[in-house]
Amino acid sequence: MPNKSNVAMLEQIKGSIEASKGFFVIDYRGLSVKESQELRRALREVNSEMKVYKNNIMRIALKEEGLPDIGENLVGTCAYVFFENDPVDAAKAIKDKAAQFKKIEFVAGVADGKGLNGEEAKAYADLASREELMAQLVYVMASPLRGIASVCAGPARGLVTALDALASKRSEEH
């Protein structure tokens, strides 16, 4: 008969998985309570949440939910960072705090339906966020429009310059 607390944890894990688009696994060994709270706060700001679950129960949940098998990476002190929207934002928040505390490491993850090792998970932090990509797209789309506007304004600008020169010449003659 399974332990009731383990069954309850399994249900919590499944709830976290269903409410998120994926998660990163981090090794948070050595973080003080204050540092852990600071990490959790930074993650909340990007619609992410850090949970600590037993690795064995997490393996069971991954299998039951049909997610990629990353079980071999789930060893030692692991925390699970579930993200609601953009994995890049969560990865950047983790990376920033890892640089600040020098105690956090990416272990694994599941993002975009794929299992990730530590290096692949960490690589998400180097990608452009959704907002940055949208800004770049707008810039790229607006560049030709600016060029067209400049070309269309060219003849009018030339006409104004010619009329101004003509007016100056006439005022000199009078």
Side-chain angles (χ1 to χ4, degrees):
M1 181 79 189
N3 183 331
K4 286 182 182 179
S5 66
N6 288 347
V7 171
M9 185 180 286
L10 180 63
E11 291 307 313
Q12 282 182 327
I13 294 171
K14 287 181 178 182
S16 294
I17 289 172
E18 289 172 10
S20 67
K21 290 191 176 178
F23 62 91
F24 294 113
V25 184
I26 60 172
D27 181 346
Y28 68 103
R29 193 179 358 206
L31 279 185
S32 69
V33 172
K34 184 179 178 184
E35 291 168 337
S36 179
Q37 289 172 339
E38 197 173 321
L39 172 60
R40 288 176 190 269
R41 196 173 307 115
L43 290 168
R44 268 194 304 274
E45 289 174 6
V46 293
N47 296 321
S48 301
E49 186 175 27
M50 184 174 94
K51 302 267 189 169
V52 178
Y53 294 124
K54 291 181 180 177
N55 294 335
N56 287 336
I57 298 175
M58 187 65 168
R59 284 185 194 96
I60 294 168
L62 290 174
K63 187 174 184 178
E64 288 185 7
E65 292 294 315
L67 291 172
D69 181 22
I70 58 167
E72 72 277 357
N73 296 316
L74 306 182
V75 215
T77 313
C78 293
Y80 302 89
V81 177
F82 294 91
F83 49 86
E84 290 179 19
N85 301 321
D86 193 5
V88 174
D89 292 336
K92 284 180 188 268
I94 295 167
K95 183 181 176 185
D96 290 346
K97 292 302 172 186
Q100 180 181 350
F101 302 140
K102 302 193 183 343
K103 298 176 187 172
I104 303 170
E105 291 183 29
F106 283 90
V107 174
V110 174
D112 300 322
K114 296 177 185 154
L116 309 169
N117 64 30
E119 288 302 311
E120 293 168 333
K122 189 176 181 178
Y124 270 81
D126 297 327
L127 297 174
S129 70
R130 185 176 190 280
E131 288 76 23
E132 292 169 335
L133 289 174
M134 294 298 281
Q136 290 174 1
L137 178 64
V138 167
Y139 176 78
V140 166
M141 291 174 61
S143 292
L145 296 176
R146 262 196 311 274
I148 290 171
S150 179
V151 166
C152 290
R157 199 172 18 253
L159 178 62
V160 169
T161 305
L163 291 175
D164 188 40
L166 185 59
S168 294
K169 185 176 179 185
R170 287 197 177 163
S171 66
E172 288 175 7
E173 291 174 358
H174 289 10

